[in-house]
Amino acid sequence: MKKITCLLLMSLAANLAVAQTKKINEVNTFVSKNSGVIYNKEKDVDGYYFFYEVDKLKKGDREFAIQILDNNLVEVAKKTYVNNKNTFLMKSSFNNQAMMFALANYKEKKINLLTFDKKAEQSASIDIPLESKEIKWIELMKASGDFNILFPVNNKGFLFNKVADNKKIGYSLKYYPTDGGKSWEFNSPVDSQEILMINPIEVNESVVVALEFSRSSAFSRKVTIKTLVIDANTGKLLFDREYSKDQKPRMISNAYINNNNAVVLLGEYFKEGDNIFDDQSLGLFSEEINLSGQTNKEVLVSWKDDVSKFYKPQNGDKEIGHIYFHSIVKTAAGDIYAIGEKYKKTASASGIAMAVLSRGQSATTQLTITDAVAFKFDSDFKLKDIKVFEKGKSRVPCLTDFGSPQLNANALKNQGAFDFVFTQIDKKNDRFYSCFVDYERLSGEKNKFAFKTIIYDEGALSQDKIYLSNEDTDFRVLAGKVGYVALIEYNKKDKAINLHLEKLNIK
């Protein structure tokens, strides 16, 4: 629930000790996702950026603005420029040096990449031409809100993931440096007989870890998934790994580089012969692979034998069910915390009704998202503890009735289906904060949205929450300087962005 609708801050000041505010006027059009956090080299919040439409000009042109604030909401810089009315923002990102905005224009058949530094000074823009078939795929992305195309490489550059019009649909990963380095490309084979798509799941200064999906047609249920590890400095493939149905079936969900400069893949493992898109997994796995592609070690954590020691079924559940892990955090002591949310696939009454009206064209199932969880592992990925933090239920329609809960969860994650907002790491004090927006159904009073934070401090986990009162407006929550949260509201009537920097009830 990255984008929060039907919210208005009315009473936060009564619940919180400190409040700072800022108002940006003359905002003709603004979408809350067109904003972001600026981090410094220590990955602390350094400020915020906003992209919005200022005014409609003659001959179909529009005036846009890039505005930058510091972490106390004081204006640092503002830059305006003129673009065509058919231009829309696909994605924006920040890499600690610069921010990049990817804008598409169907009429001119191009994507325009704009780059600005922290003072809103613009670098040379980059135009990427589009073919008609590529535009159709982008239109599908726009309809779903899933523009998983732009990734920051901290302190170095940006990675742009573009659909490519090959013999069949393929992909093109293009790296654009901001530190004076060299650009590179990694493309799918032009003559491939398969539809090839790619989804980077980890992008850092050393490697890009991406999942490549291959299928014979858009409607084929037979999908081959290959894990690619690419050198982030050269664009060369270091190694790939395919987990087949008949040999070590795996569903990869997370990846990171550890202290041994090895890639660690995390996800779920299945019984040999199982289909990862349809069958229930046996548990979690961690595999450490060196940059030559050799496995150093692999650890399996069984739902039945390991997780059951720490988790006792609640609210009538027979087992823990499915978990989508959002963040992997390593503490100074070497422990690893995996923060996620429980979910399951259930029947949807409204979906069934829509399926009847649409003659079976709509999904009749939904993902029901419930409690937040924190799995604690030691440095060897041995499970040490599980903490459950109660949340209300959120429901989101499945993309398909035929896929497994895991398949739908991975696809819906990029559309903001879960309640998770962000994890903020305070390395200086060995703390982290994982934040969620929860809809609490309260007995005897009006239901409320709550901003909940799981806090790791002094080796222990705790929880804090603040309430948001529900009125009719549009909202986004962003990380703030340590101990704070930034709440962004767009008032369409006043044509203004209102910002609130609020102190949480933590140290």
Side-chain angles (χ1 to χ4, degrees):
M1 192 182 293
K2 289 183 179 178
K3 179 181 177 183
I4 307 156
T5 56
C6 299
L7 289 177
L8 178 65
L9 280 178
M10 296 286 288
S11 58
L12 275 173
N15 298 321
L16 303 167
V18 178
Q20 293 174 268
T21 62
K22 171 73 176 180
K23 188 174 185 178
I24 301 175
N25 294 305
E26 299 180 354
V27 181
N28 189 60
T29 303
F30 175 70
V31 180
S32 58
K33 69 177 181 180
N34 296 347
S35 57
V37 179
I38 296 174
Y39 293 94
N40 60 25
K41 292 182 178 180
E42 288 72 41
K43 296 186 177 180
D44 294 327
V45 173
D46 207 26
Y48 305 92
Y49 65 86
F50 301 87
F51 175 93
Y52 55 90
E53 181 184 300
V54 178
D55 199 7
K56 296 181 179 180
L57 306 177
K58 295 179 180 180
K59 298 181 180 180
D61 286 336
R62 298 288 186 269
E63 182 182 9
F64 296 94
I66 305 290
Q67 187 157 353
I68 299 173
L69 309 179
D70 68 13
N71 59 10
N72 291 310
L73 306 185
V74 176
E75 182 177 319
V76 174
K78 181 179 179 180
K79 177 82 172 182
T80 61
Y81 76 101
V82 176
N83 210 324
N84 187 272
K85 69 176 182 180
N86 296 307
T87 299
F88 69 92
L89 181 65
M90 301 171 70
K91 193 84 172 182
S92 61
S93 187
F94 179 75
N95 74 346
N96 298 341
Q97 287 181 337
M99 59 207 75
M100 179 174 279
F101 299 86
L103 302 107
N105 188 312
Y106 296 154
K107 190 173 182 180
E108 297 180 0
K109 290 188 174 183
K110 70 176 184 179
I111 292 172
N112 182 227
L113 301 180
L114 298 179
T115 307
F116 297 85
D117 64 17
K118 291 183 178 181
K119 299 296 183 182
E121 294 299 326
Q122 185 176 353
S123 302
S125 63
I126 301 167
D127 285 339
I128 302 172
L130 291 173
E131 301 295 333
S132 297
K133 191 187 294 186
E134 296 169 356
I135 290 175
K136 290 181 180 179
W137 280 86
I138 292 174
E139 287 175 334
L140 291 173
M141 293 178 188
K142 187 176 182 182
S144 68
D146 181 13
F147 284 119
N148 197 32
I149 59 169
L150 188 62
F151 306 88
V153 182
N154 287 339
N155 306 307
K156 297 184 72 173
F158 293 93
L159 186 67
F160 185 74
N161 180 16
K162 175 183 170 291
V163 174
D165 182 10
N166 297 331
K167 189 170 186 177
K168 284 194 173 182
I169 283 294
Y171 62 82
S172 177
L173 288 178
K174 297 178 183 290
Y175 172 70
Y176 299 101
T178 57
D179 64 348
K182 292 184 178 181
S183 59
W184 53 259
E185 292 185 25
F186 185 90
N187 302 315
S188 60
V190 176
D191 58 351
S192 174
Q193 299 295 317
E194 303 283 313
I195 292 177
L196 294 171
M197 305 295 285
I198 198 166
N199 178 30
I201 61 171
E202 170 65 11
V203 179
N204 58 50
E205 295 92 333
S206 302
V207 298
V208 176
V209 182
L211 303 180
E212 182 188 72
F213 298 83
S214 172
R215 63 176 71 192
S216 59
S217 71
F219 301 102
S220 174
R221 294 197 69 232
K222 185 178 180 181
V223 182
T224 300
I225 304 177
K226 188 180 291 185
T227 304
L228 309 181
V229 179
I230 303 165
D231 189 323
N233 296 293
T234 64
K236 293 182 179 179
L237 180 68
L238 296 175
F239 67 88
D240 59 39
R241 184 68 59 90
E242 182 179 335
Y243 299 94
S244 68
K245 179 178 179 180
D246 299 320
Q247 185 176 6
K248 296 178 65 175
R250 301 283 189 267
M251 177 174 281
I252 313 297
S253 57
N254 303 84
Y256 65 92
I257 290 284
N258 66 8
N259 294 337
N260 298 326
N261 199 35
V263 176
V264 178
L265 300 178
L266 302 173
E268 298 177 49
Y269 73 96
F270 298 76
K271 182 176 65 179
E272 289 192 6
D274 278 358
N275 187 327
I276 66 171
F277 296 121
D278 296 318
D279 295 315
Q280 172 68 45
S281 68
L282 297 178
L284 304 173
F285 85 96
S286 166
E287 183 175 7
E288 180 185 293
I289 310 171
N290 64 31
L291 297 185
S292 298
Q294 298 173 323
T295 297
N296 293 339
K297 64 178 179 180
E298 183 179 50
V299 180
L300 305 180
V301 178
S302 164
W303 299 124
K304 181 180 178 181
D305 299 326
D306 301 308
V307 173
S308 61
K309 295 177 183 178
F310 301 98
Y311 178 82
K312 303 303 177 186
Q314 301 171 345
N315 303 321
D317 292 336
K318 294 181 180 180
E319 55 190 14
I320 195 168
H322 300 283
I323 298 173
Y324 190 94
F325 289 105
H326 300 286
S327 296
I328 308 296
V329 184
K330 188 173 182 179
T331 69
D335 294 322
I336 299 169
Y337 282 87
I339 308 297
E341 289 177 86
K342 293 171 55 183
Y343 68 92
K344 58 185 177 181
K345 191 176 179 182
T346 59
S348 169
S350 60
I352 294 171
M354 286 298 296
V356 172
L357 293 174
S358 63
R359 299 183 180 182
Q361 298 301 308
S362 298
T364 61
T365 54
Q366 63 188 3
L367 284 189
T368 299
I369 301 161
T370 58
D371 298 333
V373 295
F375 279 49
K376 178 183 179 181
F377 303 91
D378 65 16
S379 57
D380 294 319
F381 204 67
K382 181 179 179 181
L383 185 62
K384 304 295 290 184
D385 195 12
I386 297 174
K387 297 290 185 185
V388 179
F389 298 88
E390 186 176 346
K391 288 199 300 89
K393 294 180 179 179
S394 296
R395 298 177 177 87
V396 59
C398 288
L399 295 179
T400 172
D401 290 332
F402 301 104
S404 67
Q406 310 92 287
L407 175 64
N408 277 282
N410 278 276
L412 290 168
K413 162 62 180 174
N414 291 328
Q415 300 180 26
F418 287 85
D419 296 333
F420 174 80
V421 183
F422 59 81
T423 290
Q424 187 173 6
I425 301 173
D426 177 11
K427 284 191 174 182
K428 186 182 297 183
N429 297 298
D430 191 26
R431 296 187 295 211
F432 70 80
Y433 314 91
S434 291
C435 304
F436 302 79
V437 173
D438 181 27
Y439 186 67
E440 290 193 356
R441 294 165 177 84
L442 304 173
S443 178
E445 58 179 303
K446 200 172 185 179
N447 296 337
K448 296 180 181 179
F449 282 94
F451 185 78
K452 295 186 175 180
T453 306
I454 297 173
I455 305 163
Y456 172 83
D457 187 23
E458 297 181 349
L461 293 173
S462 61
Q463 185 182 37
D464 174 66
K465 73 176 177 181
I466 58 176
Y467 280 115
L468 311 171
S469 59
N470 52 327
E471 296 291 342
D472 192 18
T473 194
D474 185 14
F475 230 107
R476 189 179 182 192
V477 183
L478 295 176
K481 57 187 179 181
V482 174
Y484 289 78
V485 61
L487 301 139
I488 302 168
E489 168 207 352
Y490 176 57
N491 189 314
K492 188 175 182 179
K493 183 179 179 181
D494 294 342
K495 295 186 181 299
I497 301 171
N498 296 306
L499 297 96
H500 308 256
L501 190 61
E502 303 290 348
K503 183 170 174 42
L504 299 173
N505 300 315
I506 57 179
K507 294 180 181 178

